[in-house]
Every structure is written in C-alpha cells, then in structure tokens.
Amino acid sequence: MNGKIKGIFLYLSHQIMLMPYKRMLLPELQHAIATDDDQVAYAELFARFNPPLVTFVHSVVHQKEVAEEIVSDVFIRIWQKRKTLDQVQNLKMYLYVSARNYAVNRLRSKNHQLSLQVEELSVDLQCYSENPHEKAVIAEVQKELHRAVNSLPERCKLIFKLVKEDGLRQKEVAELLHLSPKTIENQLAIALSKLAETISQATGQKKEK
C-alpha cells in the first residue's frame, strides 16, 4: 500500500465520527463519491460497510489486524477508482467480492489454505419491556441463541451471518462463496430451524421455572 495514500485514508477514517452524515441511499452515496469527490459520502460508505466487511474477511484470514488492513485496501481502492464508481451496478456486492478477492490473494501469497469460518457471531435481541419476567426471558433466549449460532457448522454460520446480519441476497451469497443457490437455501434452513428450536426450548424452560 502506498504510504501517502494510506496516510490520506487513515486521516479520512479518523474524521468519520466528526462528519455530519447525509444519510443517503447507497446509490446516492455512490454517485456523490464518483461525481463530486464527496468525502462525507465516502466516510458514510466506510462507516456502513467497514465493520461487516472486517468480520467477513476475518472469517477468511483468521487474523483481525490482517482483516482490517485488507478492508482498508478495499476502501483505498474505491477512493482511487472513484471516477468509475458509477459503472458498478451493485456496490454492496462489489465490496464483498473485492474483500474476498483481496483476502484470498493474501492467503495465497503466504501459502495459506483458504478456510471460511466465522469465529464470532452475535445475535442481539432488543427488549422494550420493563417487565422483569419478560426481561429475564429475553436474556435467556439471547444467551441460548449465542450458543446455538456458535454450535452451527462453520459454513452454515457464515451463510447465516451474510444473509441475516449483513443483508446480502441468497443469490449474492451463492456467488460470493462459489456455492449453488440451493446450498445456500439449505444451509439457511438448517440455521433457522436450529434457532427456532432454541427459542422454543429457551422460552419453554423459562416458563416452567
């Protein structure tokens, strides 16, 4: 990574929290970056996608610092090539595919074997009730959901996260992971069935106590 470019990127990323976000739709962000060199739009794009991309790349390379560096490279490339950004039809998918390719190339350069897995995956439930009993039920369900997700097969966990947390379409996940759409559908069914069973058991056990 060019030192000057990296320095500019680090400066921009440090300014993200200080910038007044425009809360634009993704195509609007994309166009603003491409046509106006809009740093605020670029900062918002980074803020939206940096965390999920780091998590995804971490599942490939298994090193947090390396994952962060790879995602930084992706965003630096976005800024360098911003004038052509309007030519990208699906920016979200483009970011994930770019991150995957960077990660695979990094592993190949170090003669590592590619392994897709998710080591950490959070499932959060929001509790809007002040009722102590309902809060206890929610806390128990959340605890059991964490266990259930972590017990899923590695590929199943990754697919579940990409679809349910990162918001990718099943077809996009199939393309990203080089799997058939049917495989994605089946893996999601396995994950959702397991989580539904977990919720049922957790709430039932709590009620019995």
Side-chain angles (χ1 to χ4, degrees):
M1 183 189 304
N2 182 280
K4 183 178 180 181
I5 294 174
K6 184 175 181 180
I8 294 172
F9 173 79
L10 290 175
Y11 171 78
L12 288 176
S13 65
H14 288 158
Q15 299 303 310
I16 285 175
M17 298 306 297
L18 302 177
M19 290 182 173
Y21 287 174
K22 298 181 179 181
R23 302 298 180 188
M24 294 186 290
L25 298 175
L26 185 56
E28 295 173 331
L29 288 175
Q30 183 174 348
H31 185 68
I33 296 169
T35 60
D36 301 328
D37 298 338
D38 193 327
Q39 292 185 6
V40 175
Y42 177 73
E44 185 169 348
L45 182 72
F46 177 84
R48 286 187 192 180
F49 288 101
N50 183 66
L53 285 174
V54 169
T55 299
F56 172 61
V57 174
H58 185 216
S59 74
V60 178
V61 300
H62 311 305
Q63 297 181 52
K64 186 67 176 294
E65 290 185 0
V66 173
E68 291 173 346
E69 182 179 342
I70 288 172
V71 174
S72 295
D73 288 344
V74 171
F75 278 102
I76 288 172
R77 186 69 172 174
I78 289 291
W79 185 254
Q80 288 176 324
K81 299 294 183 181
R82 61 190 178 280
K83 294 302 182 183
T84 64
L85 202 59
D86 268 343
Q87 299 173 16
V88 177
Q89 294 183 355
N90 186 334
L91 181 56
K92 184 175 185 178
M93 187 62 177
Y94 178 83
L95 289 170
Y96 274 90
V97 171
S98 297
R100 179 200 64 192
N101 291 343
Y102 273 67
V104 171
N105 288 337
R106 177 67 66 91
L107 289 173
R108 285 175 176 168
S109 69
K110 294 184 177 181
N111 296 317
H112 285 172
Q113 183 177 1
L114 176 62
S115 174
L116 292 176
Q117 69 179 43
V118 175
E119 295 177 352
E120 296 179 356
L121 176 61
S122 62
V123 177
D124 294 321
L125 296 174
Q126 293 183 350
C127 181
Y128 299 98
S129 174
E130 294 298 325
N131 185 295
H133 174 71
E134 292 182 1
K135 283 187 173 182
V137 171
I138 291 293
E140 181 68 22
V141 171
Q142 183 172 345
K143 180 180 177 181
E144 294 302 322
L145 277 175
H146 277 281
R147 291 179 180 175
V149 169
N150 287 330
S151 69
L152 290 172
E154 300 302 331
R155 185 170 65 173
C156 189
K157 280 193 291 186
L158 178 58
I159 291 171
F160 175 81
K161 180 200 173 301
L162 290 173
V163 174
K164 296 301 180 181
E165 290 198 356
D166 295 355
L168 293 179
R169 297 184 179 90
Q170 293 185 34
K171 181 179 180 181
E172 293 173 336
V173 175
E175 180 182 343
L176 184 65
L177 302 182
H178 300 300
L179 297 172
S180 70
K182 188 64 177 178
T183 297
I184 301 300
E185 182 180 342
N186 290 341
Q187 291 296 308
L188 277 176
I190 291 172
L192 294 176
S193 176
K194 176 67 174 177
L195 297 182
E197 179 183 353
T198 297
I199 292 174
S200 177
Q201 291 178 349
T203 55
Q205 291 173 0
K206 192 68 182 177
K207 288 177 181 179
E208 291 174 2
K209 293 181 179 180

